[in-house]
Amino acid sequence: MYTTGTAFLEALHEAGVSYIFANLGSDHPAIIESLARAKKENKELPTVITCPHEFVALSAAHGYAQATGEPQAVMVHVECGTQNLGGAIHNASRSRVPVLIFAGASPYTQEGELTGSRNEFIHWIQDVPDQRGIVRGYTKYDNEIRTGANVKQLVYRALQIAKSDPTGPVYLMGPREAMEEEVEPMTLNNDLWEPISPSAVAPLQLEQLSNDLVSANNPLIVTSYLGRNKEAVEQLVQLSEKLAIPVIESIPHQMNFPADHSMHLGSQWNTPGQNEQLEEADLVLVIDSDVPWIQMKNKPSDHATVYYLDVDPLKEEMPLWYIPSKQFLKADSCIALKQMNQYIDDNCQLDKDVISKRWKKFSDIHHHQMKEKHRIEQRKTGVITPEYLTACIREVIDEENTIVLNEGITNYGAISNHIGLNTPGSYYASGAGSLGWNGGAALGMKLAKSNKTVVSLTGDGSYLFSVPSTVHWMANRYKIPFLTVIYNNSGWKAPKMSTLGVHPRGIANETEGFWVNFDPTANLAKIAEAAGNARPITVEDSSELKGVLEEGLKTVSEGRSVVINVTIPHVYSKEITDTGTQSANLEAELKK
């Protein structure tokens, strides 16, 4: 039989989907039967990756899409599996990651009227009024497959929407009867379902922005995810060098600008102090950033001119969001940067003396920042600081052949400032707020870039959120090994710091009552060993660290995952607060 399920799988394959990250259930007999028939007949369809937890399935598709730009499929079980996607659907939405999610639905007949009619008690229990509504706030598009007659059109349309800027997840559901329907085979021309073309800046706005950049005395660029297009990084470097414009990365979740470049002024996260360069800028160009600064703590001068350029410059899905700007430009950053570079070359007379002085000023600041970072990274006796740990990782990896993931949370700033990467496509973070992305994303990135070594840097809290038992079972089964380094402070530091940010002299601080510690500590690396034969290593002595990291990378290269559990200062220790403040206040340190 050629069913709706068969046509659905064919449509995914024809549209370029390579993998289905699947957690199958009683709603998927048509899919399972079609897959079995295809295997028997050597028919090419997307490869099914069995995922014992839905959160990991979607996180893996997230990582794959980040590394390639290509959406994959996630298959889950009715409304229960949909809800088990949990924070991963938030991550995919906020990170603007294209992915197609398919869920079955309880049968809508119960007396055998149609093939697939209800024959298990669970079909009544899992029948809910609005299954699609569970994820509607996080998807660009949702629909129900009601017949196989147009299932390919629905799949093509869903993927077209997912891949069109701003990209994001889409959701389809199909009841058993609809998926079991026998239909006539259909062929569509996939070329007619391409995503919308990336947009450019209108001529008048381009002229105004370019001229303002050229005439500014202290221009500054802030970005977070421009590096999702590797070519955009090259264009940004050209613009920066042409006008001596420094670049700050705000909560970077891509490699946006080379860390060793003279115009790179570091990254900022929940920076508690005012960034001096941001305050002095007379023009700030924000390119691809959701949160370029935090107004309560760190923002441009009220006299600065702000331009906002983004695929989603109004953040329409964020109810409270505003940064008053001279212009909001909805455009693809790579195209816009090409336009700016060409316009300036063709139309602007540059003051080389001003540009030279500006280059000298910011290259000196960059040089001093690098010296300060190096000072902070130095090994201390008896403690492994996040900065020293990150520096050791930087020194042992081969950047050209490595992908680094950052879900360090309260160590996010330490990692992004000290990992020091310069290669587009070498660094990723989730770009969102639901913890646990790191494990599944590492699997997806390794599937997408099998020739790369994937190194996942995570806190102990975000490691536990990642469902490590599922992650490492999958890594072992599908031979996709990677290295995990846990920045283990034995607790959730983030809620503690958030509380202190609002109540710095409160009772919680006085009594050390934050309810965030993980004592007694668990042997986190052993979880990965038990579930997926990963090699567990625990490090407490800083003198052993670099050798252990090198050993871990060697083991991964031989085909076995490794989890290195590194003890850093406890969430309740004074040392951890000091080192966190030290990392976050690099600008203040330099000012002194």
Side-chain angles (χ1 to χ4, degrees), residues 14-45:
E14 292 160 6
V17 172
S18 300
Y19 292 99
I20 299 172
F21 298 96
N23 190 294
L24 300 170
S26 61
D27 46 337
H28 297 130
I31 298 292
I32 294 171
E33 184 67 13
S34 296
L35 288 167
R37 181 177 295 277
K39 183 177 181 181
K40 181 179 179 180
E41 297 175 354
N42 293 318
K43 179 180 177 180
E44 193 173 357
L45 288 176

Side-chain angles (χ1 to χ4, degrees), residues 505-532:
R505 298 177 182 84
I507 304 300
N509 184 41
E510 178 185 322
T511 62
E512 283 291 327
F514 295 96
W515 291 274
V516 295
N517 74 76
F518 289 167
D519 299 327
T521 59
N523 193 332
L524 299 182
K526 284 284 187 179
I527 298 172
E529 181 186 37

Side-chain angles (χ1 to χ4, degrees), residues 389 393 397 402-408 415 419 426 428-429 436-443 445 453-459 462-463 466 471-472 481-487 549 553 556 562-566:
L389 171 54
I393 294 166
I397 62 173
T402 302
I403 296 175
V404 175
L405 280 60
N406 178 1
E407 199 172 21
I415 293 171
I419 197 64
S426 62
Y428 297 92
W437 159 88
N438 67 90
L443 297 174
M445 290 193 186
T453 300
V454 176
V455 178
S456 173
L457 311 182
T458 176
S462 49
Y463 173 80
S466 74
V471 167
H472 286 282
F482 66 98
L483 173 65
T484 300
V485 180
I486 303 173
Y487 288 59
L549 289 168
L553 286 170
V556 169
V562 176
V563 177
I564 302 177
N565 184 22
V566 182

Side-chain angles (χ1 to χ4, degrees), residues 180-209:
E180 293 284 356
E181 178 189 353
E182 189 170 0
V183 295
E184 291 296 321
M186 176 187 296
T187 301
L188 297 180
N189 182 357
N190 194 30
D191 293 339
L192 303 180
W193 300 82
E194 288 297 309
I196 59 172
S197 300
S199 54
V201 179
L204 182 61
Q205 284 70 38
L206 174 66
E207 178 182 353
Q208 189 175 43
L209 168 58

Side-chain angles (χ1 to χ4, degrees), residues 17-331:
V17 172
S18 300
Y19 292 99
I20 299 172
F21 298 96
N23 190 294
L24 300 170
S26 61
D27 46 337
H28 297 130
I31 298 292
I32 294 171
E33 184 67 13
S34 296
L35 288 167
R37 181 177 295 277
K39 183 177 181 181
K40 181 179 179 180
E41 297 175 354
N42 293 318
K43 179 180 177 180
E44 193 173 357
L45 288 176
T47 300
V48 175
I49 303 293
T50 300
C51 304
H53 197 288
E54 295 87 346
F55 179 93
V56 180
L58 184 48
S59 297
H62 184 151
Y64 193 102
Q66 282 181 297
T68 65
E70 293 299 320
Q72 302 305 296
V74 173
M75 195 171 292
V76 299
H77 174 49
V78 294
E79 44 81 47
C80 293
T82 299
Q83 293 190 82
N84 234 19
L85 293 170
I89 188 71
H90 156 93
N91 289 341
S93 175
R94 282 291 183 254
S95 191
R96 300 178 187 84
V97 166
V99 59
L100 186 148
I101 302 164
F102 172 78
S106 283
Y108 50 77
T109 60
Q110 68 175 32
E111 297 183 31
E113 300 96 324
L114 297 169
T115 304
S117 189
R118 295 185 181 187
N119 61 355
E120 302 176 38
F121 88 93
I122 203 68
H123 293 151
W124 283 267
I125 307 301
Q126 294 174 336
D127 190 5
V128 296
D130 188 11
Q131 181 174 312
R132 288 152 59 186
I134 297 169
V135 295
R136 190 168 294 126
Y138 301 94
T139 56
K140 292 186 66 184
Y141 168 82
D142 66 85
N143 204 348
E144 179 178 337
I145 298 168
R146 296 180 174 89
T147 173
N150 67 349
V151 65
K152 287 195 174 183
Q153 288 92 331
L154 294 186
V155 171
Y156 281 25
R157 171 168 164 75
L159 285 168
Q160 180 184 44
I161 292 172
K163 292 190 290 185
S164 295
D165 275 330
T167 56
V170 294
Y171 182 86
L172 292 175
M173 59 176 278
R176 289 213 313 186
E177 295 93 334
M179 300 309 291
E180 293 284 356
E181 178 189 353
E182 189 170 0
V183 295
E184 291 296 321
M186 176 187 296
T187 301
L188 297 180
N189 182 357
N190 194 30
D191 293 339
L192 303 180
W193 300 82
E194 288 297 309
I196 59 172
S197 300
S199 54
V201 179
L204 182 61
Q205 284 70 38
L206 174 66
E207 178 182 353
Q208 189 175 43
L209 168 58
S210 301
N211 288 332
D212 281 358
L213 274 174
V214 170
S215 61
N217 291 317
N218 287 297
L220 177 70
I221 293 172
V222 179
T223 186
S224 301
Y225 50 84
L226 171 141
R228 69 182 189 141
N229 183 337
K230 296 177 183 179
E231 191 180 351
V233 177
E234 178 185 338
Q235 292 296 323
L236 179 59
V237 170
Q238 284 186 31
L239 180 64
S240 172
E241 292 179 346
K242 196 186 307 288
L243 300 178
I245 304 177
V247 176
I248 293 174
E249 296 182 87
S250 182
I251 322 165
H253 50 277
Q254 308 277 348
M255 203 305 293
N256 302 299
F257 197 79
D260 64 0
H261 195 284
S262 296
M263 291 297 102
H264 189 269
L265 296 189
S267 69
Q268 57 188 25
W269 195 52
N270 286 333
T271 309
Q274 176 65 51
N275 185 303
E276 184 178 349
Q277 310 314 321
L278 184 60
E279 185 177 37
E280 289 181 355
D282 60 350
L283 185 147
V284 182
L285 171 58
V286 180
I287 308 178
D288 289 346
S289 179
D290 291 328
V291 186
W293 49 78
I294 298 175
Q295 285 91 328
M296 282 182 62
K297 305 175 180 180
N298 173 38
K299 63 179 182 178
S301 160
D302 292 339
H303 304 293
T305 299
V306 177
Y307 281 87
Y308 220 102
L309 192 156
D310 196 284
V311 291
D312 179 23
L314 293 180
K315 317 301 177 189
E316 295 176 27
E317 296 299 317
M318 297 182 188
L320 177 62
W321 188 97
Y322 53 85
I323 294 178
S325 302
K326 184 173 181 177
Q327 288 183 2
F328 292 90
L329 306 169
K330 187 170 185 175

